[in-house]
Amino acid sequence: MKRLNAKQILYLLGLVLGAGLFVYQLGLGIGSLKSINFQWGIIWQLFGIVGLLSLALLLQNLDWQIVLRGLEIKIPFIDVSKGYVYSFLPRYIPGSVWGYLSRGEWMKREHGVSYSLTNLASILEILITFVSGLMVLALAFTQTTGTELVYRVCLIVLLPIIIWFVIKLTIKRITQSNWHWKHLLTPLLVVNLKTWLVWIIFYSIHLIVEGLGLFLTIQLFWPEIVVGINIGSILISASIFSLGWMIGLMVIFVPAGLGVREVIVTGLINMVFGVNWEISALIATFFRLNYMIAEMAWLLWGVLSKGITWKNR
């Protein structure tokens, strides 16, 4: 019998852990379905949430195009929308790197962008999402009022500016050094503060739309919630989504953070909004499923548009 190597063991561990956690959340969610009276109104609201998450994915496509433009790579949005979700599907393979490698192949094959430049853009995308998520998190849990609130918001807004100056200083020192791979960072020299802040703003908007979708899902399955739709509840929901995304990304051997993100989101909904664990699990599971349905819609668009393009050729 052939022995498994370390890579195969890690792959299987990721599959088992991700599937196990997801099935656990799904089981809790299904178990609580008996307490939900599914009426046509609820079903239509679910369709509305899927539509909102489809909008979030549109913004994610736009975010990627804006990052590319900041690096002086000009690709029409229609072309980005045809391949972004489609090329990123391999992220469901354990090891988050596979989605990014697939994206690099798509960019190289269809748009002639080098692997190194695409990888640099992907690293930027992750960094921007982390910084935007931290800003949303800090704003969401700012409980002060009056002058102190203004000071706190100003400090939060200064965060991406400080990070940008640190990045620029680091890049400048590296490009002046004798490091063999320093040429890989030279595309970042064209990025100015305005471009960086535009990236942060667009990614923050994307996260806030995700937060709105999550909060509407919470309201749908937990009508007893005393918090209404306002900027505070949306920011808190966006920060819950952001934390789940960040932690899921760091657990690299679990495909697309599957299961891990649901556990994090479940726990935070339970802790922050006071929703019981079973309903929180249902919310996290349905939110993930709705997100995957929205992804399927964009995937269908990508496949059909590629088929039409191939037919025209």
Side-chain angles (χ1 to χ4, degrees):
M1 182 177 178
K2 186 178 178 180
R3 296 182 61 183
L4 297 176
N5 57 38
K7 187 176 180 180
Q8 291 171 322
I9 292 174
L10 195 60
Y11 173 84
L12 292 173
L13 179 62
L15 281 179
V16 172
L17 179 59
L21 288 170
F22 189 75
V23 170
Y24 170 70
Q25 293 296 305
L26 188 61
L28 288 177
I30 291 174
S32 62
L33 281 176
K34 58 186 179 182
S35 63
I36 304 297
N37 182 19
F38 275 99
Q39 300 174 348
W40 279 110
I42 290 179
I43 295 174
W44 284 117
Q45 287 179 65
L46 284 173
F47 278 118
I49 293 170
V50 170
L52 188 62
L53 295 179
S54 297
L55 172 62
L57 284 168
L58 183 147
L59 292 174
Q60 193 171 354
N61 280 266
L62 182 60
D63 291 342
W64 177 244
Q65 185 200 26
I66 291 172
V67 169
L68 295 178
R69 282 186 175 272
L71 296 174
E72 299 185 343
I73 306 169
K74 296 181 179 180
I75 301 175
F77 177 77
I78 190 71
D79 293 331
V80 171
S81 69
K82 290 177 182 178
Y84 182 84
V85 174
Y86 181 84
S87 66
F88 214 41
L89 279 179
R91 76 186 189 279
Y92 286 104
I93 301 173
S96 301
V97 68
W98 301 114
Y100 295 104
L101 291 177
S102 174
R103 176 192 286 176
E105 187 63 32
W106 161 58
M107 293 289 291
K108 176 69 173 178
R109 185 180 66 252
E110 298 193 13
H111 304 292
V113 181
S114 66
Y115 296 117
S116 60
L117 194 51
T118 299
N119 291 337
L120 181 62
S122 294
I123 293 170
L124 268 175
E125 182 183 46
I126 295 171
L127 176 62
I128 295 164
T129 306
F130 266 84
V131 174
S132 302
L134 289 174
M135 286 184 61
V136 169
L137 179 64
L139 287 170
F141 292 96
T142 298
Q143 301 294 335
T144 54
T145 58
T147 305
E148 189 176 349
L149 173 62
V150 175
Y151 290 151
R152 186 74 62 87
V153 171
C154 288
L155 286 174
I156 294 169
V157 172
L158 279 174
L159 174 65
I161 299 175
I162 294 170
I163 292 174
W164 181 81
F165 278 110
V166 171
I167 292 172
K168 291 294 286 187
L169 180 62
T170 303
I171 292 171
K172 184 178 179 180
R173 292 198 173 187
I174 291 175
T175 53
Q176 292 174 348
S177 70
N178 296 321
W179 187 46
H180 180 68
W181 302 103
K182 65 181 182 180
H183 65 281
L184 298 177
L185 298 179
T186 53
L188 293 176
L189 295 176
V190 302
V191 179
N192 55 34
L193 179 59
K194 178 182 177 182
T195 300
W196 171 255
L197 292 178
V198 167
W199 288 345
I200 296 296
I201 290 170
F202 272 87
Y203 275 80
S204 298
I205 293 172
H206 167 230
L207 291 176
I208 289 170
V209 173
E210 299 274 15
L212 176 58
L214 179 58
F215 186 74
L216 290 176
T217 308
I218 294 171
Q219 277 197 323
L220 181 62
F221 291 104
W222 190 253
E224 296 88 350
I225 190 169
V226 295
V227 182
I229 298 180
N230 54 54
I231 188 62
S233 59
I234 294 172
L235 285 174
I236 290 173
S237 300
S239 65
I240 290 174
F241 171 82
S242 299
L243 281 172
W245 182 88
M246 292 177 192
I247 296 172
L249 182 69
M250 289 186 287
V251 184
I252 60 173
F253 54 87
V254 175
L258 193 64
V260 174
R261 288 173 183 166
E262 282 67 51
V263 170
I264 299 299
V265 170
T266 296
L268 289 173
I269 291 173
N270 172 259
M271 181 174 62
V272 175
F273 289 111
V275 181
N276 69 55
W277 187 271
E278 289 76 15
I279 298 296
S280 296
L282 174 66
I283 292 166
T285 302
F286 263 76
F287 183 77
R288 180 69 176 229
L289 291 176
N290 285 340
Y291 195 87
M292 293 175 74
I293 292 171
E295 280 188 316
M296 288 175 63
W298 278 97
L299 176 61
L300 183 62
W301 154 248
V303 171
L304 290 177
S305 61
K306 286 178 182 294
I308 293 171
T309 302
W310 178 83
K311 184 177 179 181
N312 291 336
R313 288 179 181 176

